[in-house]
Amino acid sequence: MIPVEKLTEQARQALGRSQDLLLKLRHNALDSEHLLLILLGQRDGLVPMAFKHLDASPAPALDRLQRDLAARPATLNG
């Protein structure tokens, strides 16, 4: 595993926001879907730039991820 200190500031922020999302949704495990949702939402991030390069919109992926994550059971006390 890569130490957090070796990540870029933008990567650390995305990871932190993913953890915030995990708590907000009351999920018990941080999955790639949580991180991908955050990365897709970064205005100047690499993932939205890749979609732009492909002349595609990230909106359908964002919508799908939001629906899928919302459908997961909430398991944390809160």
Side-chain angles (χ1 to χ4, degrees):
M1 178 173 248
I2 298 172
V4 175
E5 303 81 36
K6 297 219 180 230
L7 297 174
T8 66
E9 180 60 30
Q10 191 171 13
R12 282 194 297 267
Q13 287 176 1
L15 188 55
R17 291 186 64 213
S18 298
Q19 291 170 332
D20 292 342
L21 176 63
L22 174 83
L23 294 173
K24 177 182 175 187
L25 296 174
R26 297 176 50 216
H27 293 161
N28 66 351
L30 182 64
D31 294 322
S32 56
E33 291 88 349
H34 295 98
L35 182 57
L36 181 56
L37 182 65
I38 297 301
L39 292 174
L40 279 167
Q42 287 181 331
R43 190 167 298 213
D44 297 323
L46 292 175
V47 175
M49 283 178 28
F51 272 85
K52 185 176 180 179
H53 179 72
L54 296 170
D55 199 26
S57 170
L62 277 167
D63 291 342
R64 175 71 186 263
L65 280 168
Q66 289 171 336
R67 282 194 318 272
D68 288 354
L69 287 171
R72 291 184 185 185
T75 57
L76 289 176
N77 295 328

